[in-house]
Amino acid sequence: MAQQTFSSGVIHTRWVWLAWSAIALAWGPAAALVSSANPGGLDLAIATAWCLASFLPWAVATPLIFRLCALFPIGQGHDAVSIVIICCFGAIAVPILTLFVPILQFTFSLIFPAMMGASQSLADVTRRTIITSLFAVPSYVAVIAVGQTILWANRARNQQGAASRAQLRALRAELSPHFVSNVLGSIAQVAHISAARAENALAALAAVLRSGLAQPCEMHTLTDELGALDEHLALYRALFGSLVFDRQIADNSWHIALPSRILVPLIENALTHGNLDEQGQRSIRLTTEFVDDAIRIKICNPWVQTDRRSLGLGSGIDHVRQRLRLVYGQRAKLTIDDSGGLFRVTVDLPFG
C-alpha cells in the first residue's frame, strides 16, 4: 500500500536526472578551482565531466532509494525498524556508488596511461573509497529526506482527495432525503385524485432512485447528466402534468465531463419555485455554449420576484456551489440573474 501511494506521485525519472545534473554542473567549476588557481576551459570541462560521472550512479540509484522510503516510511509507528533498514542499505549502497569513479579512473589509466598517469594501487583505491563514502553520507541522507518528504506529500494529497470525495458524497446524500420526502408527499396527494397517476409517479421515482444509486463515479458526461434530468422531468410530469423543456446543446459538448447530478438541483429549483409561462405551463430552457476554455450551461425559467423568497430556494444552489468548489476550486463559477421576469442560473465549468 505504501509503495502504491508513493508511485502515484508526480516524481519522474527525468526530474531526478535533471536535479543531479544541475548539482554536477554547479560542482564542476568548484572542483576545477580546487585543482588550479587559474583553471582553463579544458580544466573546467574535465572537472565538470568527472562531477557528472560521480553523480551518475546517484541519479541511477535515487529512484530505488525513493522506493525504499515508500517501503519503510518514517513516522508510521515503526520508525526504529525503518531507520535500521535505511541505515543498513546506506552502508552497502554508499560505498558501491562511490566506487564508480575510482573504477572509471582505473580503467582510463589502463587505456590512456599518458593522460591519466600511473594507476593507483588497491590500497589507495580502498582508502579513497572510504574517504569519499564518508563525504557521500550527507548526500544519502539528503536523498532519504527528499524521498520521505515526497512520500508524505503524496499521502497528504491523497488524503485530501479522499476527504473531498467524502464531502461530495455527503452533499449528495444530504440532498437525497429532502428530495425523496418531497416527492413522496406529492405522490400521497396525487393518490387521492388518481391511483393511475400515483402509480406512474412511483415508477418514475423508482427510475430516478435506481439511476442515482447506480452512479458510482463523481464525474460523468453531459449526455449522462441530461439523461438524469430527463428522468426527473418524467417524474414531474407524472405528478403535475405538462411541462415544456427546451434544450439547445452546443456541438461537441455532449462528451464534456462534469460532476454527476450537478444540474439536477438547479432543475428542481426551477420546477419548485418557478412560475407558469404565458400558456399556463411550467417551462425551462437549458442551453450550453463554449466560452474560452469553459463550457457555459444556462438554465432559465419564468420567475416573479417577491419581497420574501420561498424557503429552500437557495439550498439547492448552495449545494451546487459547494460541490463545484470541491471539484474545481476557484475555476468554476455559478451566477444568478433574476431580472426581467426570468430566473437565470449560469454555470461555467472548465474543461481544459
Side-chain angles (χ1 to χ4, degrees):
M1 180 64 68
Q3 187 171 4
Q4 293 175 354
T5 302
F6 185 86
S7 63
S8 65
V10 296
I11 297 302
H12 299 287
T13 303
R14 64 177 179 270
W15 294 112
V16 172
W17 284 86
L18 181 62
W20 282 112
S21 298
I23 295 173
L25 293 174
W27 278 35
L33 289 171
V34 170
S35 301
S36 174
N38 297 305
L42 182 60
D43 297 327
L44 288 173
I46 293 175
T48 302
W50 281 116
C51 286
L52 288 170
S54 300
F55 289 117
L56 175 63
W58 286 94
V60 174
T62 294
L64 178 62
I65 298 174
F66 283 172
R67 284 194 288 272
L68 179 71
C69 293
L71 291 173
F72 302 100
I74 297 175
Q76 269 195 328
H78 303 283
D79 295 352
V81 175
S82 297
I83 291 173
V84 168
I85 293 176
I86 289 173
C87 290
C88 291
F89 181 86
I92 299 173
V94 171
I96 293 176
L97 294 175
T98 55
L99 266 174
F100 179 75
V101 171
I103 292 174
L104 192 63
Q105 288 179 329
F106 177 78
T107 304
F108 268 81
S109 66
L110 294 178
I111 300 174
F112 306 105
M115 183 177 64
M116 300 298 298
S119 59
Q120 296 180 343
S121 64
L122 180 60
D124 291 336
V125 172
T126 303
R127 177 174 175 275
R128 180 179 177 185
T129 300
I130 294 174
I131 295 174
T132 307
S133 298
L134 293 175
F135 278 105
V137 169
S139 297
Y140 178 73
V141 173
V143 175
I144 290 293
V146 172
Q148 294 289 340
T149 301
I150 294 172
L151 171 65
W152 285 104
N154 288 335
R155 185 162 298 173
R157 188 184 301 111
N158 292 336
Q159 290 176 348
Q160 183 178 7
S164 296
R165 289 191 293 271
Q167 286 181 275
L168 287 172
R169 289 192 293 269
L171 285 172
R172 290 180 61 183
E174 187 177 340
L175 279 176
S176 297
H178 177 72
F179 164 74
V180 172
S181 63
N182 286 343
V183 172
L184 290 178
S186 299
I187 292 176
Q189 294 177 359
V190 170
H192 292 289
I193 302 173
S194 170
R197 282 180 58 190
E199 183 178 354
N200 291 335
L202 283 173
L205 175 60
V208 170
L209 295 177
R210 182 169 55 251
S211 176
L213 292 174
Q215 181 67 32
C217 302
E218 290 297 337
M219 304 290 290
H220 64 185
T221 64
L222 178 60
T223 301
D224 296 328
E225 186 70 10
L226 293 175
L229 293 183
D230 288 339
E231 292 175 346
H232 281 259
L233 295 175
L235 175 58
Y236 180 88
R237 291 188 177 100
L239 286 171
F240 305 109
S242 62
L243 166 70
V244 177
F245 181 61
D246 176 32
R247 68 185 190 188
Q248 297 182 6
I249 309 302
D251 294 338
N252 301 323
S253 66
W254 294 92
H255 298 291
I256 294 294
L258 71 166
S260 61
R261 303 303 195 272
I262 196 69
L263 301 180
V264 170
L266 304 179
I267 293 295
E268 289 179 357
N269 267 342
L271 294 174
T272 305
H273 305 289
N275 273 35
L276 303 179
D277 59 16
E278 296 177 352
Q279 286 74 37
Q281 293 181 320
R282 297 278 182 188
S283 64
I284 301 175
R285 186 167 183 261
L286 185 149
T287 62
T288 67
E289 61 179 333
F290 291 102
V291 180
D292 298 328
D293 58 348
I295 182 171
R296 175 167 293 171
I297 303 173
K298 292 183 180 180
I299 298 175
C300 178
N301 61 276
W303 158 265
V304 176
Q305 190 170 10
T306 59
D307 294 336
R308 183 177 180 180
R309 292 190 176 185
S310 173
L311 294 176
L313 173 59
S315 60
I317 294 175
D318 289 340
H319 276 77
V320 172
R321 279 202 176 102
Q322 292 179 53
R323 289 191 63 195
L324 292 177
R325 191 178 304 113
L326 286 171
V327 176
Y328 299 104
Q330 301 299 320
R331 297 183 298 138
K333 183 173 63 173
L334 186 151
T335 57
I336 297 174
D337 179 14
D338 57 5
S339 61
L342 296 174
F343 193 87
R344 307 175 188 85
V345 179
T346 302
V347 181
D348 291 335
L349 302 178
F351 62 85

PDB file of all heavy atoms in Angstrom, residues 9-41:
ATOM      1  N   GLY A   9       2.630   9.491  -7.134  1.00  0.00           N
ATOM      2  CA  GLY A   9       3.044  10.892  -7.132  1.00  0.00           C
ATOM      3  C   GLY A   9       3.485  11.350  -8.499  1.00  0.00           C
ATOM      4  O   GLY A   9       3.380  10.666  -9.514  1.00  0.00           O
ATOM      5  N   VAL A  10       4.050  12.556  -8.535  1.00  0.00           N
ATOM      6  CA  VAL A  10       4.411  13.180  -9.800  1.00  0.00           C
ATOM      7  C   VAL A  10       5.916  13.138 -10.035  1.00  0.00           C
ATOM      8  O   VAL A  10       6.458  13.885 -10.841  1.00  0.00           O
ATOM      9  CB  VAL A  10       3.917  14.642  -9.820  1.00  0.00           C
ATOM     10  CG1 VAL A  10       2.413  14.692  -9.772  1.00  0.00           C
ATOM     11  CG2 VAL A  10       4.486  15.436  -8.642  1.00  0.00           C
ATOM     12  N   ILE A  11       6.611  12.224  -9.295  1.00  0.00           N
ATOM     13  CA  ILE A  11       8.056  12.128  -9.456  1.00  0.00           C
ATOM     14  C   ILE A  11       8.347  11.348 -10.734  1.00  0.00           C
ATOM     15  O   ILE A  11       7.885  10.239 -10.921  1.00  0.00           O
ATOM     16  CB  ILE A  11       8.687  11.429  -8.245  1.00  0.00           C
ATOM     17  CG1 ILE A  11       8.437  12.265  -6.997  1.00  0.00           C
ATOM     18  CG2 ILE A  11      10.169  11.233  -8.458  1.00  0.00           C
ATOM     19  CD1 ILE A  11       8.962  13.664  -7.086  1.00  0.00           C
ATOM     20  N   HIS A  12       9.137  11.923 -11.609  1.00  0.00           N
ATOM     21  CA  HIS A  12       9.525  11.284 -12.850  1.00  0.00           C
ATOM     22  C   HIS A  12      11.043  11.180 -12.896  1.00  0.00           C
ATOM     23  O   HIS A  12      11.760  12.002 -12.337  1.00  0.00           O
ATOM     24  CB  HIS A  12       9.011  12.071 -14.044  1.00  0.00           C
ATOM     25  CG  HIS A  12       7.515  12.181 -14.090  1.00  0.00           C
ATOM     26  ND1 HIS A  12       6.703  11.125 -14.422  1.00  0.00           N
ATOM     27  CD2 HIS A  12       6.689  13.224 -13.829  1.00  0.00           C
ATOM     28  CE1 HIS A  12       5.448  11.510 -14.376  1.00  0.00           C
ATOM     29  NE2 HIS A  12       5.410  12.768 -14.020  1.00  0.00           N
ATOM     30  N   THR A  13      11.500  10.168 -13.598  1.00  0.00           N
ATOM     31  CA  THR A  13      12.942   9.928 -13.670  1.00  0.00           C
ATOM     32  C   THR A  13      13.677  11.122 -14.253  1.00  0.00           C
ATOM     33  O   THR A  13      14.791  11.450 -13.823  1.00  0.00           O
ATOM     34  CB  THR A  13      13.213   8.679 -14.519  1.00  0.00           C
ATOM     35  OG1 THR A  13      12.503   7.572 -13.950  1.00  0.00           O
ATOM     36  CG2 THR A  13      14.698   8.361 -14.562  1.00  0.00           C
ATOM     37  N   ARG A  14      13.060  11.795 -15.199  1.00  0.00           N
ATOM     38  CA  ARG A  14      13.762  12.918 -15.830  1.00  0.00           C
ATOM     39  C   ARG A  14      14.043  14.049 -14.837  1.00  0.00           C
ATOM     40  O   ARG A  14      15.055  14.745 -14.960  1.00  0.00           O
ATOM     41  CB  ARG A  14      12.961  13.458 -17.014  1.00  0.00           C
ATOM     42  CG  ARG A  14      11.617  14.055 -16.682  1.00  0.00           C
ATOM     43  CD  ARG A  14      10.967  14.620 -17.937  1.00  0.00           C
ATOM     44  NE  ARG A  14       9.650  15.182 -17.671  1.00  0.00           N
ATOM     45  CZ  ARG A  14       8.533  14.486 -17.734  1.00  0.00           C
ATOM     46  NH1 ARG A  14       8.577  13.208 -18.046  1.00  0.00           N
ATOM     47  NH2 ARG A  14       7.371  15.056 -17.492  1.00  0.00           N
ATOM     48  N   TRP A  15      13.161  14.221 -13.844  1.00  0.00           N
ATOM     49  CA  TRP A  15      13.414  15.267 -12.848  1.00  0.00           C
ATOM     50  C   TRP A  15      14.576  14.867 -11.937  1.00  0.00           C
ATOM     51  O   TRP A  15      15.343  15.728 -11.481  1.00  0.00           O
ATOM     52  CB  TRP A  15      12.153  15.525 -12.026  1.00  0.00           C
ATOM     53  CG  TRP A  15      11.043  16.115 -12.838  1.00  0.00           C
ATOM     54  CD1 TRP A  15       9.861  15.539 -13.173  1.00  0.00           C
ATOM     55  CD2 TRP A  15      11.030  17.420 -13.436  1.00  0.00           C
ATOM     56  NE1 TRP A  15       9.108  16.390 -13.936  1.00  0.00           N
ATOM     57  CE2 TRP A  15       9.803  17.559 -14.114  1.00  0.00           C
ATOM     58  CE3 TRP A  15      11.935  18.484 -13.467  1.00  0.00           C
ATOM     59  CZ2 TRP A  15       9.458  18.717 -14.810  1.00  0.00           C
ATOM     60  CZ3 TRP A  15      11.590  19.639 -14.163  1.00  0.00           C
ATOM     61  CH2 TRP A  15      10.367  19.739 -14.822  1.00  0.00           C
ATOM     62  N   VAL A  16      14.689  13.579 -11.654  1.00  0.00           N
ATOM     63  CA  VAL A  16      15.821  13.100 -10.860  1.00  0.00           C
ATOM     64  C   VAL A  16      17.128  13.361 -11.600  1.00  0.00           C
ATOM     65  O   VAL A  16      18.100  13.885 -11.031  1.00  0.00           O
ATOM     66  CB  VAL A  16      15.655  11.607 -10.541  1.00  0.00           C
ATOM     67  CG1 VAL A  16      16.912  11.055  -9.891  1.00  0.00           C
ATOM     68  CG2 VAL A  16      14.450  11.383  -9.629  1.00  0.00           C
ATOM     69  N   TRP A  17      17.162  13.004 -12.871  1.00  0.00           N
ATOM     70  CA  TRP A  17      18.370  13.224 -13.664  1.00  0.00           C
ATOM     71  C   TRP A  17      18.675  14.715 -13.801  1.00  0.00           C
ATOM     72  O   TRP A  17      19.844  15.126 -13.749  1.00  0.00           O
ATOM     73  CB  TRP A  17      18.197  12.594 -15.048  1.00  0.00           C
ATOM     74  CG  TRP A  17      18.347  11.114 -15.028  1.00  0.00           C
ATOM     75  CD1 TRP A  17      17.369  10.182 -14.767  1.00  0.00           C
ATOM     76  CD2 TRP A  17      19.540  10.366 -15.237  1.00  0.00           C
ATOM     77  NE1 TRP A  17      17.876   8.919 -14.819  1.00  0.00           N
ATOM     78  CE2 TRP A  17      19.215   8.992 -15.110  1.00  0.00           C
ATOM     79  CE3 TRP A  17      20.851  10.712 -15.534  1.00  0.00           C
ATOM     80  CZ2 TRP A  17      20.150   7.983 -15.260  1.00  0.00           C
ATOM     81  CZ3 TRP A  17      21.792   9.707 -15.703  1.00  0.00           C
ATOM     82  CH2 TRP A  17      21.442   8.364 -15.556  1.00  0.00           C
ATOM     83  N   LEU A  18      17.642  15.518 -13.971  1.00  0.00           N
ATOM     84  CA  LEU A  18      17.856  16.962 -14.091  1.00  0.00           C
ATOM     85  C   LEU A  18      18.446  17.535 -12.810  1.00  0.00           C
ATOM     86  O   LEU A  18      19.358  18.380 -12.842  1.00  0.00           O
ATOM     87  CB  LEU A  18      16.520  17.654 -14.427  1.00  0.00           C
ATOM     88  CG  LEU A  18      16.570  19.171 -14.606  1.00  0.00           C
ATOM     89  CD1 LEU A  18      17.476  19.542 -15.772  1.00  0.00           C
ATOM     90  CD2 LEU A  18      15.167  19.732 -14.828  1.00  0.00           C
ATOM     91  N   ALA A  19      17.950  17.077 -11.655  1.00  0.00           N
ATOM     92  CA  ALA A  19      18.443  17.592 -10.376  1.00  0.00           C
ATOM     93  C   ALA A  19      19.914  17.231 -10.173  1.00  0.00           C
ATOM     94  O   ALA A  19      20.732  18.091  -9.802  1.00  0.00           O
ATOM     95  CB  ALA A  19      17.597  17.032  -9.238  1.00  0.00           C
ATOM     96  N   TRP A  20      20.263  15.968 -10.408  1.00  0.00           N
ATOM     97  CA  TRP A  20      21.659  15.562 -10.220  1.00  0.00           C
ATOM     98  C   TRP A  20      22.577  16.224 -11.246  1.00  0.00           C
ATOM     99  O   TRP A  20      23.728  16.556 -10.938  1.00  0.00           O
ATOM    100  CB  TRP A  20      21.787  14.042 -10.296  1.00  0.00           C
ATOM    101  CG  TRP A  20      21.346  13.345  -9.046  1.00  0.00           C
ATOM    102  CD1 TRP A  20      20.268  12.540  -8.889  1.00  0.00           C
ATOM    103  CD2 TRP A  20      21.988  13.410  -7.767  1.00  0.00           C
ATOM    104  NE1 TRP A  20      20.175  12.087  -7.601  1.00  0.00           N
ATOM    105  CE2 TRP A  20      21.231  12.603  -6.880  1.00  0.00           C
ATOM    106  CE3 TRP A  20      23.116  14.051  -7.273  1.00  0.00           C
ATOM    107  CZ2 TRP A  20      21.568  12.428  -5.545  1.00  0.00           C
ATOM    108  CZ3 TRP A  20      23.454  13.886  -5.928  1.00  0.00           C
ATOM    109  CH2 TRP A  20      22.693  13.085  -5.090  1.00  0.00           C
ATOM    110  N   SER A  21      22.113  16.435 -12.453  1.00  0.00           N
ATOM    111  CA  SER A  21      22.918  17.131 -13.468  1.00  0.00           C
ATOM    112  C   SER A  21      23.179  18.568 -13.047  1.00  0.00           C
ATOM    113  O   SER A  21      24.295  19.085 -13.226  1.00  0.00           O
ATOM    114  CB  SER A  21      22.209  17.090 -14.823  1.00  0.00           C
ATOM    115  OG  SER A  21      22.047  15.763 -15.272  1.00  0.00           O
ATOM    116  N   ALA A  22      22.161  19.221 -12.492  1.00  0.00           N
ATOM    117  CA  ALA A  22      22.341  20.598 -12.031  1.00  0.00           C
ATOM    118  C   ALA A  22      23.378  20.665 -10.907  1.00  0.00           C
ATOM    119  O   ALA A  22      24.213  21.583 -10.860  1.00  0.00           O
ATOM    120  CB  ALA A  22      21.004  21.171 -11.568  1.00  0.00           C
ATOM    121  N   ILE A  23      23.336  19.693  -9.998  1.00  0.00           N
ATOM    122  CA  ILE A  23      24.327  19.655  -8.911  1.00  0.00           C
ATOM    123  C   ILE A  23      25.726  19.449  -9.466  1.00  0.00           C
ATOM    124  O   ILE A  23      26.694  20.108  -9.053  1.00  0.00           O
ATOM    125  CB  ILE A  23      23.967  18.545  -7.910  1.00  0.00           C
ATOM    126  CG1 ILE A  23      22.640  18.859  -7.205  1.00  0.00           C
ATOM    127  CG2 ILE A  23      25.074  18.365  -6.880  1.00  0.00           C
ATOM    128  CD1 ILE A  23      22.130  17.739  -6.329  1.00  0.00           C
ATOM    129  N   ALA A  24      25.852  18.526 -10.436  1.00  0.00           N
ATOM    130  CA  ALA A  24      27.170  18.261 -11.028  1.00  0.00           C
ATOM    131  C   ALA A  24      27.707  19.484 -11.752  1.00  0.00           C
ATOM    132  O   ALA A  24      28.903  19.812 -11.641  1.00  0.00           O
ATOM    133  CB  ALA A  24      27.064  17.076 -11.984  1.00  0.00           C
ATOM    134  N   LEU A  25      26.856  20.172 -12.499  1.00  0.00           N
ATOM    135  CA  LEU A  25      27.297  21.374 -13.212  1.00  0.00           C
ATOM    136  C   LEU A  25      27.703  22.482 -12.250  1.00  0.00           C
ATOM    137  O   LEU A  25      28.590  23.290 -12.550  1.00  0.00           O
ATOM    138  CB  LEU A  25      26.183  21.856 -14.147  1.00  0.00           C
ATOM    139  CG  LEU A  25      25.855  20.933 -15.329  1.00  0.00           C
ATOM    140  CD1 LEU A  25      24.649  21.456 -16.091  1.00  0.00           C
ATOM    141  CD2 LEU A  25      27.063  20.809 -16.261  1.00  0.00           C
ATOM    142  N   ALA A  26      27.072  22.518 -11.087  1.00  0.00           N
ATOM    143  CA  ALA A  26      27.438  23.527 -10.091  1.00  0.00           C
ATOM    144  C   ALA A  26      28.761  23.180  -9.410  1.00  0.00           C
ATOM    145  O   ALA A  26      29.542  24.077  -9.048  1.00  0.00           O
ATOM    146  CB  ALA A  26      26.322  23.659  -9.058  1.00  0.00           C
ATOM    147  N   TRP A  27      29.017  21.882  -9.230  1.00  0.00           N
ATOM    148  CA  TRP A  27      30.241  21.456  -8.563  1.00  0.00           C
ATOM    149  C   TRP A  27      31.455  21.492  -9.492  1.00  0.00           C
ATOM    150  O   TRP A  27      32.596  21.553  -9.026  1.00  0.00           O
ATOM    151  CB  TRP A  27      30.076  20.034  -8.021  1.00  0.00           C
ATOM    152  CG  TRP A  27      29.377  19.988  -6.705  1.00  0.00           C
ATOM    153  CD1 TRP A  27      28.374  20.805  -6.273  1.00  0.00           C
ATOM    154  CD2 TRP A  27      29.638  19.072  -5.628  1.00  0.00           C
ATOM    155  NE1 TRP A  27      27.962  20.454  -5.022  1.00  0.00           N
ATOM    156  CE2 TRP A  27      28.721  19.386  -4.591  1.00  0.00           C
ATOM    157  CE3 TRP A  27      30.510  18.018  -5.464  1.00  0.00           C
ATOM    158  CZ2 TRP A  27      28.693  18.682  -3.400  1.00  0.00           C
ATOM    159  CZ3 TRP A  27      30.478  17.313  -4.267  1.00  0.00           C
ATOM    160  CH2 TRP A  27      29.579  17.650  -3.247  1.00  0.00           C
ATOM    161  N   GLY A  28      31.230  21.400 -10.797  1.00  0.00           N
ATOM    162  CA  GLY A  28      32.336  21.346 -11.740  1.00  0.00           C
ATOM    163  C   GLY A  28      33.306  22.500 -11.614  1.00  0.00           C
ATOM    164  O   GLY A  28      34.526  22.287 -11.422  1.00  0.00           O
ATOM    165  N   PRO A  29      32.860  23.776 -11.697  1.00  0.00           N
ATOM    166  CA  PRO A  29      33.792  24.900 -11.533  1.00  0.00           C
ATOM    167  C   PRO A  29      34.495  24.903 -10.183  1.00  0.00           C
ATOM    168  O   PRO A  29      35.678  25.249 -10.095  1.00  0.00           O
ATOM    169  CB  PRO A  29      32.885  26.122 -11.695  1.00  0.00           C
ATOM    170  CG  PRO A  29      31.724  25.642 -12.508  1.00  0.00           C
ATOM    171  CD  PRO A  29      31.513  24.226 -12.076  1.00  0.00           C
ATOM    172  N   ALA A  30      33.770  24.507  -9.116  1.00  0.00           N
ATOM    173  CA  ALA A  30      34.399  24.466  -7.793  1.00  0.00           C
ATOM    174  C   ALA A  30      35.518  23.440  -7.763  1.00  0.00           C
ATOM    175  O   ALA A  30      36.609  23.678  -7.199  1.00  0.00           O
ATOM    176  CB  ALA A  30      33.350  24.144  -6.730  1.00  0.00           C
ATOM    177  N   ALA A  31      35.299  22.282  -8.365  1.00  0.00           N
ATOM    178  CA  ALA A  31      36.344  21.255  -8.402  1.00  0.00           C
ATOM    179  C   ALA A  31      37.546  21.726  -9.210  1.00  0.00           C
ATOM    180  O   ALA A  31      38.701  21.445  -8.856  1.00  0.00           O
ATOM    181  CB  ALA A  31      35.774  19.970  -8.993  1.00  0.00           C
ATOM    182  N   ALA A  32      37.283  22.452 -10.295  1.00  0.00           N
ATOM    183  CA  ALA A  32      38.396  22.965 -11.106  1.00  0.00           C
ATOM    184  C   ALA A  32      39.203  23.988 -10.337  1.00  0.00           C
ATOM    185  O   ALA A  32      40.440  24.029 -10.425  1.00  0.00           O
ATOM    186  CB  ALA A  32      37.842  23.570 -12.401  1.00  0.00           C
ATOM    187  N   LEU A  33      38.541  24.854  -9.574  1.00  0.00           N
ATOM    188  CA  LEU A  33      39.247  25.865  -8.784  1.00  0.00           C
ATOM    189  C   LEU A  33      40.071  25.241  -7.663  1.00  0.00           C
ATOM    190  O   LEU A  33      41.106  25.781  -7.266  1.00  0.00           O
ATOM    191  CB  LEU A  33      38.236  26.866  -8.215  1.00  0.00           C
ATOM    192  CG  LEU A  33      37.602  27.822  -9.231  1.00  0.00           C
ATOM    193  CD1 LEU A  33      36.479  28.606  -8.588  1.00  0.00           C
ATOM    194  CD2 LEU A  33      38.670  28.770  -9.797  1.00  0.00           C
ATOM    195  N   VAL A  34      39.618  24.104  -7.130  1.00  0.00           N
ATOM    196  CA  VAL A  34      40.395  23.422  -6.095  1.00  0.00           C
ATOM    197  C   VAL A  34      41.691  22.863  -6.679  1.00  0.00           C
ATOM    198  O   VAL A  34      42.757  22.895  -6.046  1.00  0.00           O
ATOM    199  CB  VAL A  34      39.546  22.294  -5.458  1.00  0.00           C
ATOM    200  CG1 VAL A  34      40.414  21.412  -4.562  1.00  0.00           C
ATOM    201  CG2 VAL A  34      38.404  22.893  -4.655  1.00  0.00           C
ATOM    202  N   SER A  35      41.625  22.379  -7.914  1.00  0.00           N
ATOM    203  CA  SER A  35      42.802  21.782  -8.552  1.00  0.00           C
ATOM    204  C   SER A  35      43.787  22.837  -9.034  1.00  0.00           C
ATOM    205  O   SER A  35      44.994  22.610  -9.031  1.00  0.00           O
ATOM    206  CB  SER A  35      42.362  20.913  -9.735  1.00  0.00           C
ATOM    207  OG  SER A  35      41.486  19.894  -9.297  1.00  0.00           O
ATOM    208  N   SER A  36      43.270  23.989  -9.458  1.00  0.00           N
ATOM    209  CA  SER A  36      44.147  25.021 -10.025  1.00  0.00           C
ATOM    210  C   SER A  36      43.598  26.397  -9.694  1.00  0.00           C
ATOM    211  O   SER A  36      42.374  26.601  -9.713  1.00  0.00           O
ATOM    212  CB  SER A  36      44.256  24.839 -11.542  1.00  0.00           C
ATOM    213  OG  SER A  36      44.982  25.896 -12.126  1.00  0.00           O
ATOM    214  N   ALA A  37      44.533  27.327  -9.412  1.00  0.00           N
ATOM    215  CA  ALA A  37      44.091  28.691  -9.100  1.00  0.00           C
ATOM    216  C   ALA A  37      43.533  29.393 -10.327  1.00  0.00           C
ATOM    217  O   ALA A  37      42.646  30.248 -10.217  1.00  0.00           O
ATOM    218  CB  ALA A  37      45.252  29.494  -8.511  1.00  0.00           C
ATOM    219  N   ASN A  38      44.042  29.063 -11.496  1.00  0.00           N
ATOM    220  CA  ASN A  38      43.583  29.678 -12.744  1.00  0.00           C
ATOM    221  C   ASN A  38      43.254  28.582 -13.763  1.00  0.00           C
ATOM    222  O   ASN A  38      44.008  28.351 -14.725  1.00  0.00           O
ATOM    223  CB  ASN A  38      44.649  30.617 -13.318  1.00  0.00           C
ATOM    224  CG  ASN A  38      44.949  31.785 -12.400  1.00  0.00           C
ATOM    225  OD1 ASN A  38      44.028  32.514 -12.009  1.00  0.00           O
ATOM    226  ND2 ASN A  38      46.217  31.949 -12.031  1.00  0.00           N
ATOM    227  N   PRO A  39      42.139  27.902 -13.568  1.00  0.00           N
ATOM    228  CA  PRO A  39      41.813  26.807 -14.487  1.00  0.00           C
ATOM    229  C   PRO A  39      41.410  27.345 -15.854  1.00  0.00           C
ATOM    230  O   PRO A  39      40.752  28.379 -15.979  1.00  0.00           O
ATOM    231  CB  PRO A  39      40.629  26.120 -13.793  1.00  0.00           C
ATOM    232  CG  PRO A  39      39.999  27.197 -12.973  1.00  0.00           C
ATOM    233  CD  PRO A  39      41.129  28.076 -12.515  1.00  0.00           C
ATOM    234  N   GLY A  40      41.798  26.631 -16.878  1.00  0.00           N
ATOM    235  CA  GLY A  40      41.393  26.976 -18.225  1.00  0.00           C
ATOM    236  C   GLY A  40      40.091  26.306 -18.594  1.00  0.00           C
ATOM    237  O   GLY A  40      39.458  25.589 -17.797  1.00  0.00           O
ATOM    238  N   GLY A  41      39.678  26.526 -19.843  1.00  0.00           N
ATOM    239  CA  GLY A  41      38.420  25.932 -20.298  1.00  0.00           C
ATOM    240  C   GLY A  41      38.457  24.426 -20.286  1.00  0.00           C
ATOM    241  O   GLY A  41      37.467  23.769 -19.918  1.00  0.00           O
TER     242      GLY A  41
END
